[in-house]
Amino acid sequence: MSSNSNSTNRESVHLAVYDTLADWEPGHATAQLARAGYEIRTVGPTREPVRSVGGLCIQPDLALDDVRPSDASLLILPGADLWDAGDDLAPFASKAREFLDAGVPVAAICGATAGLAREGLLDDRDHTSAVSFYLAATGYGGGERYVEADAVTDGGLVTAGPTEPVAFAREILRLLHVYDDEAVDAWYRLFHDSDPEAYAVLEKAGVL
């Protein structure tokens, strides 16, 4: 069970939200973190509502300019069409740099990995994404650090491709030490592989 679940001061995880947000990508992570006692706070470009690619209207809790690394345990950057449609989301990549420089981890999936590549944050960290040539198209200098894997954690940064929301969540749960390794592995086997034997491990760990 998470060490945070019995805390009176809930740790906060910041979830970036913006127009064309890929709904399916952060859901496993945020749901499990919330169940473990974390407070999920949404961060938009402003406090104005945004609409996901699935049509969900989201009212951000915070505007990006008001976000400080000291107020969060993690910043999650989901994918969105806007990451590849111009510089509208570049401020979120800059904020990711601020978090990493402060020693606060960041998790980026899908198009957000390209945003971080443009920001130079993948040049000196092992990372992954949808495919290597997707990131290569950004002109970044980290191609030799690209790893063919479902998700990668290095230097306080989690990266994953758009088809790996469960692996993305797995890495986040490990990085924040939400559960022990055995429970995280069982959680992944349950939600990724539909392994019924994982239930017993999770029940014993108090996760379910």
Side-chain angles (χ1 to χ4, degrees):
M1 184 175 293
S2 167
S3 60
N4 302 297
S5 58
N6 295 321
S7 174
T8 55
N9 296 315
R10 301 175 68 198
E11 292 191 52
S12 177
V13 167
H14 287 359
L15 171 66
V17 295
Y18 18 70
D19 286 332
T20 72
L21 163 76
D23 311 57
W24 65 93
E25 292 176 349
H28 280 286
T30 54
Q32 204 61 43
L33 288 170
R35 285 181 168 179
Y38 285 81
E39 178 185 18
I40 310 300
R41 306 196 74 192
T42 52
V43 179
T46 67
R47 289 289 307 280
E48 293 299 311
V50 298
R51 192 168 294 277
S52 74
V53 73
L56 300 181
C57 184
I58 303 169
Q59 174 67 60
D61 297 313
L62 301 165
L64 185 62
D65 286 345
D66 297 328
V67 168
R68 297 176 300 178
S70 59
D71 293 334
S73 301
L74 174 73
L75 173 65
I76 300 177
L77 299 175
D81 294 344
L82 284 181
W83 280 112
D84 297 318
D87 297 328
D88 286 355
L89 299 186
F92 284 91
S94 297
K95 184 63 69 172
R97 176 179 291 281
E98 185 180 333
F99 268 64
L100 291 169
D101 286 348
V104 181
V106 172
I109 184 170
C110 189
T113 62
L116 298 193
R118 296 184 189 100
E119 182 67 19
L121 293 174
L122 304 185
D123 290 353
D124 57 356
R125 292 177 174 88
D126 290 345
H127 59 275
T128 193
S129 184
V131 287
S132 60
F133 56 81
Y134 169 63
L135 292 186
T138 68
Y140 83 129
E144 293 184 356
R145 302 295 296 266
Y146 188 90
V147 180
E148 293 288 353
D150 53 8
V152 173
T153 301
D154 187 32
L157 177 64
V158 175
T159 52
T163 62
E164 298 292 349
V166 182
F168 183 60
R170 178 198 67 208
E171 294 301 300
I172 289 171
L173 295 175
R174 283 178 177 168
L175 183 63
L176 297 184
H177 305 291
V178 177
Y179 309 120
D180 64 30
D181 289 343
E182 184 182 22
V184 171
D185 177 67
W187 181 88
Y188 178 77
R189 287 188 288 112
L190 177 62
F191 286 96
H192 187 267
D193 303 325
S194 300
D195 181 358
E197 295 183 2
Y199 274 109
V201 179
L202 295 174
E203 287 179 344
K204 182 178 178 180
V207 176
L208 294 180

